Amino acid sequence: MRASLLDYTQKELVELIKPKFRVKQIYGWLYHNYADNYDDMKNIPKALKEELAEKYLVNPMKIIKKEESSDGTIKYLLELQDGKTVEAVWLKMKDAKYDAKGEVIQEARYTICVSTQVGCKVGCTFCLTAKGGFTRDLTAGEIVAQVVNLKRDNNHKHNRMINIVYMGMGEPLDNLDNLAKAIEIFKEDEGLCIGGKRQTVSTSGLSNKIDQLGAMDLGVHIAISLHAVDDELRTELIPMNKAHNINSIIEAVKRFPIDTRKRVMFEYLVIKDKNDDIGSAKKLVKLLTDIKAKVNLIYFNPYPGTPYNRPEVKDMINFQEYLVNHGLLCTIRDSKGIDISAACGQLKEQENNK
Ligand code: SAH
Ligand code: SF4
């Protein structure tokens, strides 16, 4: 596999490309103009482009499928150099606001959900990505390229109003080195300039890796896919809970450096008759007492062959009410893109079954 220019920080490119001022120009082409190939880079000499083209791709992936939902969510299937595919999602979080003259006073906000691996080793029993097993880690450039490709496709010219969530396919902390590198590249001042505060790493709870990520001090948020309040059910849903049990995760979260004004997000996938009862809500409140937490309840999104069911709306609301009445911040994830097979791995699976 060939490396791409998106695999490198600006500092690294300065080591690889001479003279230095060309790096600044190339960085502009990559992250401000979303260049797709060397031909796009108008002010770069042909000889330098040819030399670079021998070693590095500009864009290591291409969009092969796109599904747009009525709420503005767009789900993408991207093909990598080796023919493997991953998903990324463009989510519109807030509409733009205009004044009486039609001038924009506040721009629309978007969140881009990216994948970190082809497949996943964790093997959660409710997750479609897990069904295909694990194929390989994504490189830093392949993580970065998802954002660049989605921004290009949506003609999103500047870098404000973008958040990144590592909630696509794969377990981000199982690919920690490439994840950390991608986080750094996103943060670059002259690149996309998406700060740590605007990046959220979602993990199924590899507690030792939560500590390692914390030690890197990248300033990112974490979201914990908790999904269950006792180890027996959690191990059924997430088999590696045997090695990283609930207690070890809670302890690791307490050690994780977070902005004191912020909260750690706990994701709780609600499955009918499994974890949607008030007894579970009660345990959840107890479990999170010492943590500045916020809970995001997610409706289980069924797919053919799954033994699990989507919870009832009333149970979801009762669960939320219990948490809120006991002092926990709690939202129900609005099922953005539900009409376009939103849960992770579902677009890819459709493509495989054709
Ligand atoms: N591996 C990481 C991040 C990617 S999974 C993690 O597990 O946190 C992204 C999210 O998709 C997780 O919160 C997971 O719980 C959710 N998810 C997976 N399968 C789902 C399904 N069938 N319905 C709803 N959400 C699902
Ligand atoms: Fe992997 Fe996350 Fe799916 Fe679990 S939910 S199998 S950790 S991608």
Side-chain angles (χ1 to χ4, degrees), residues 2 23 43 66 96 141 154 156 226 311:
R2 284 166 75 200
V23 173
N43 58 354
K66 202 170 140 177
N154 287 284
H156 194 254
L226 192 65

Side-chain angles (χ1 to χ4, degrees), residues 110-293:
Y110 299 96
T111 293
I112 301 178
C113 172
V114 298
S115 293
T116 51
Q117 296 177 317
V118 181
C120 185
K121 285 180 207 160
V122 179
C124 300
T125 51
F126 55 80
C127 174
L128 204 47
T129 297
K131 298 273 174 283
F134 173 75
T135 306
R136 70 170 174 89
D137 284 331
L138 294 189
T139 64
E142 287 170 334
I143 298 172
V144 172
Q146 294 171 60
V147 171
V148 174
N149 277 280
L150 267 56
K151 280 169 72 73
R152 181 195 305 113
D153 195 59
N154 287 284
N155 203 15
H156 194 254
K157 288 287 181 220
H158 58 72
N159 290 315
R160 296 186 304 273
M161 305 300 182
I162 287 280
N163 288 299
I164 296 174
V165 293
Y166 298 88
M167 286 186 191
M169 307 173 75
E171 168 51 51
L173 297 188
D174 189 34
N175 185 13
L176 187 55
D177 291 345
N178 293 337
L179 170 77
K181 182 81 170 286
I183 292 170
E184 292 283 18
I185 296 172
F186 286 133
K187 283 165 70 174
E188 297 264 18
D189 287 339
E190 292 183 10
L192 291 173
C193 201
I194 303 171
K197 281 185 189 160
R198 292 197 282 144
Q199 301 188 47
T200 302
V201 175
S202 173
T203 176
S204 54
L206 303 163
S207 43
N208 57 332
K209 296 285 178 77
I210 294 173
D211 282 335
Q212 282 179 33
L213 178 71
M216 290 174 173
D217 216 14
L218 296 165
V220 289
H221 290 303
I222 46 166
I224 306 292
S225 288
L226 192 65
H227 307 335
V229 287
D230 53 71
D231 281 314
E232 194 185 338
L233 176 61
R234 195 164 191 275
T235 304
E236 177 194 321
L237 300 174
I238 311 174
M240 64 102 196
N241 185 67
K242 265 203 205 94
H244 303 272
N245 65 15
I246 295 176
N247 192 38
S248 77
I249 297 169
I250 298 290
E251 290 307 313
V253 168
K254 287 183 186 163
R255 291 189 291 267
F256 193 84
I258 57 156
D259 186 326
T260 45
R261 288 161 303 174
K262 297 286 180 179
R263 292 170 184 276
V264 175
M265 165 132 72
F266 286 83
E267 291 162 291
Y268 189 91
L269 181 72
V270 186
I271 304 174
K272 188 178 163 69
D273 297 334
K274 277 280 178 191
N275 61 1
D276 59 352
D277 56 298
I278 293 300
S280 297
K282 215 172 188 168
K283 283 190 192 162
L284 188 55
V285 169
K286 209 164 155 213
L287 200 62
L288 301 180
T289 25
D290 298 336
I291 296 181
K292 240 177 133 181

